[in-house]
Amino acid sequence: MKPIRVALAGAGNCAWSFSQFVAQAQAEPDTRLPGLMCHTVGGYRLADVRVVAAFDVDEAKVGRSLAEAFTAPAIAATGFTALGTDRDAPVLPAPLLDGLAGPLGSVVTPAAAAREATPEEVAKALVEHDADVLVIALPTGASRAIRMFAEAALTAGTAVVNCTPEEIARDEELARRFTQARVPLLGDDLRSHLGATTLHTALIELLLSRGLELSRTYQLNVGGNTDFLNLADASRSATKFASKANALRAAGATDVEGVAGPTGFIGHLGDTKLCFASIRATSVLGSEVEIDIKLTVEDSPNAAGVIANAVRAAKTAADRGLAGRVDGPSPLLFKSPPRGLPESEARAAFLAFAS
């Protein structure tokens, strides 16, 4: 099959882990890799993916190759393997807009080219690099920058995977325009492969399937990468809290006292994320059930496994003539899709789409 040509909006930690995962698959194309839920999606292997370009605003990344950009000081994710075919893909300047607003401005110096870049240049670059899919992995809260990339992809006819909590797929007007342009749109807010929300919602579904009544729950997340630094600003994290609330409601936690979201930046954790979750429920004869868990994961590889599914789903949707919001794979891949489903139903819907 023809390669899936992917462009990355944001050459950060998640992009680095995803690019490594692609490189590993390219080196071992017929191996079932740990963490890859589906070896093929729509007939595409992960080895069929090519990262052809990236966009960023960091002066340590812009104008460099993809491999060089991922050595920038802001990168905290572990380097597990060297990039292969895609190592020389260019990192192009993105318009600065609100990408570095908040705490990120204290650790990232914007490139001069980013101050001069335009949305029209982004759309032109997507066409010139013949990108099939644009993965938007910008900082949460960078609303103007995220929407600019969605508009550029719409202009270029490039399918979009929105990894951010910004409402792109949930935006009725924008989704309508993607439908009219015959361009697939997947989102919003990428789930981790086995992360806090996935575990939390799976436990909620389990309790509800046994007839228990939920009374209260919480999910608290801390980490040390630039994502958590950015989310330490309440003005940047608001959409993340809303997205996680959507995920809990889709799992069945309606009218339940609770909160879920990022609650702290601890620099020495690096790319490690800690989740502390609690669920209280009532069972037979009013007896109480209490679940308290701690989950420790490396944050960025946990996202890479889902992006690996999402880009192949987006290209498959385009191959099948689907346009606008693509509901089949989205409930499993995103926290806040337009139509959420419990974990088991979401998995079944994704597998049906992938086959």
Side-chain angles (χ1 to χ4, degrees):
M1 303 183 76
K2 288 183 61 179
I4 303 175
R5 298 176 63 83
V6 174
L8 303 171
N13 290 301
C14 291
W16 170 219
S17 289
F18 169 67
S19 298
Q20 289 182 77
F21 203 20
V22 169
Q24 183 184 27
Q26 290 171 349
E28 307 173 62
D30 297 316
T31 300
R32 289 189 173 273
L33 302 173
L36 188 63
M37 193 178 79
C38 290
H39 185 64
T40 61
V41 175
Y44 292 102
R45 305 167 302 171
L46 183 55
D48 296 320
V49 172
R50 299 290 182 272
V51 179
V52 297
F55 299 89
D56 210 285
V57 299
D58 188 340
E59 71 170 6
K61 301 174 185 176
V62 172
R64 292 169 168 78
S65 70
L66 198 63
E68 292 171 330
F70 289 140
T71 65
I75 297 294
T78 302
F80 292 97
T81 188
L83 300 189
T85 304
D86 310 328
R87 63 176 295 105
D88 295 324
V91 179
L92 307 171
L96 184 58
L97 301 176
D98 54 353
L100 295 183
L104 288 179
S106 67
V107 296
V108 175
T109 301
R115 298 186 185 279
E116 301 172 358
T118 67
E120 292 76 17
E121 289 169 341
V122 172
K124 181 180 177 182
L126 290 173
V127 173
E128 289 177 345
H129 288 280
D130 196 20
D132 297 305
V133 181
L134 174 68
V135 176
I136 303 178
L138 298 186
T140 297
S143 179
R144 291 173 58 209
I146 293 164
R147 288 183 168 271
M148 180 279 299
F149 271 108
E151 293 283 355
L154 184 59
T155 300
T158 303
V160 166
V161 171
N162 178 33
C163 299
T164 80
E166 183 70 22
E167 292 193 349
I168 300 298
R170 290 173 69 93
D171 183 319
E172 295 287 346
E173 173 59 21
L174 188 54
R176 182 187 62 80
R177 291 171 56 209
F178 269 82
T179 300
Q180 291 176 337
R182 308 301 299 166
V183 178
L185 170 60
L186 278 70
D188 298 312
D189 198 8
L190 194 80
R191 281 179 180 256
S192 292
H193 187 61
L194 207 167
T197 298
T198 296
L199 181 58
H200 198 176
T201 56
L203 287 171
I204 288 171
E205 183 178 6
L206 174 63
L207 292 173
L208 294 176
S209 74
R210 297 300 193 268
L212 277 70
E213 295 183 359
L214 302 180
S215 57
R216 59 190 186 276
T217 188
Y218 66 76
Q219 177 201 128
L220 310 177
N221 303 309
V222 298
N225 57 25
T226 50
D227 186 34
F228 277 93
L229 175 63
N230 175 60
L231 293 170
D233 184 336
S235 67
R236 302 282 275 187
S237 63
T239 54
K240 177 64 76 173
F241 278 93
S243 174
K244 282 181 173 284
N246 288 337
L248 297 187
R249 281 193 292 270
T254 56
D255 300 321
V256 176
E257 181 183 353
V259 64
T263 53
F265 169 72
I266 303 173
H268 70 259
L269 288 176
D271 200 38
T272 297
K273 178 169 75 174
L274 303 180
C275 162
F276 302 92
S278 173
I279 305 174
R280 299 294 183 266
T282 303
S283 188
V284 177
L285 295 174
S287 60
E288 294 295 315
V289 173
E290 301 182 0
I291 300 176
D292 294 291
I293 57 174
K294 173 189 173 186
L295 174 68
T296 304
V297 296
E298 188 164 353
D299 199 22
S300 302
N302 217 7
V306 184
I307 299 173
N309 289 329
V311 296
R312 294 181 295 161
K315 182 61 167 68
T316 297
D319 291 348
R320 294 174 180 173
L322 302 177
R325 298 188 299 214
V326 183
D327 286 334
S330 294
L332 185 71
L333 303 177
F334 301 95
K335 297 184 185 77
S336 189
R339 182 177 66 91
L341 292 172
E343 183 76 16
S344 60
E345 295 178 33
R347 182 175 184 275
F350 178 83
L351 293 177
F353 178 90
S355 61

